[in-house]
């Protein structure tokens, strides 16, 4: 059985993110894409617009972790109606601290592109402590 196109889109996004290929990643998102980040740390909140998602949030994570962050995709599940859930493991180091936890993203796909990303983390307090 072949993979659903929405799941394949999300997998391409993870591959581009892991490779630092922001040009490819940008092509997978709508111009008005929004990424919602939980918690109460400097990188939490709502990043509105593809350029803000890529240039502020994703670049901010890379900068804050001195490029040590890795994201290993574990699962992708689609509902066939424009929604995909991914489960991953994030590992990074920052200012003498380490994070190693599970996370998930809930994607909304419109017209074959990612238009909305809701992020969930296994431990919000640990995430806040790491990114603060």
């Amino acid at each position: 059985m072949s993979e659903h196109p929405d799941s394949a889109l999300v997998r391409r996004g993870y591959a581009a993110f892991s490779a630092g290929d922001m040009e490819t990643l940008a092509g997978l998102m709508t111009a008005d894409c929004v990424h919602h980040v939980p918690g109460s740390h400097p990188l939490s909140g709502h990043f509105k617009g593809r350029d803000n998602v890529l240039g502020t949030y994703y670049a901010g994570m890379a900068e804050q972790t001195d490029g040590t962050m890795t994201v290993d995709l574990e699962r992708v599940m689609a509902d066939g109606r424009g929604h995909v859930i991914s489960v991953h493991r994030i590992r990074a180091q920052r200012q003498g601290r380490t994070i190693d936890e599970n996370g998930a993203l809930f994607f909304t796909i419109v017209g074959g592109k990612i238009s909305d990303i809701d992020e969930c983390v296994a431990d919000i307090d640990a995430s806040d402590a790491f990114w603060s």
Side-chain angles (χ1 to χ4, degrees), residues 37-45 121 123-132:
V37 182
S40 58
H41 56 81
L43 288 176
S44 64
V121 296
D123 186 336
I124 288 179
D125 292 335
S127 182
D128 283 344
F130 178 78
W131 292 109
S132 293

Side-chain angles (χ1 to χ4, degrees), residues 66-111:
D66 292 323
T68 64
M69 188 172 73
T70 60
V71 178
D72 298 313
L73 181 60
E74 296 177 355
R75 262 177 251 130
V76 178
M77 297 160 273
D79 71 356
R81 296 177 287 120
H83 302 108
V84 175
I85 295 173
S86 64
V87 177
H88 59 258
R89 185 139 198 107
I90 180 174
R91 294 175 181 91
Q93 296 177 348
R94 179 177 183 271
Q95 299 176 351
R97 294 177 289 222
T98 299
I99 193 165
D100 182 352
E101 74 171 347
N102 288 321
L105 299 175
F106 179 84
F107 295 88
T108 301
I109 313 294
V110 175

Side-chain angles (χ1 to χ4, degrees), residues 2-61:
S2 64
E3 183 172 49
H4 191 277
D6 292 345
S7 293
L9 173 71
V10 167
R11 285 187 192 280
R12 285 195 309 275
Y14 269 88
F17 181 89
S18 292
D21 184 354
M22 295 302 115
E23 184 176 331
T24 295
L25 194 53
L28 303 176
M29 298 176 166
T30 61
D32 61 348
C33 181
V34 180
H35 191 132
H36 310 275
V37 182
S40 58
H41 56 81
L43 288 176
S44 64
H46 307 283
F47 294 87
K48 299 175 183 177
R50 176 179 50 219
D51 293 341
N52 197 26
V53 171
L54 299 172
T56 304
Y57 182 47
Y58 296 175
M61 288 189 298

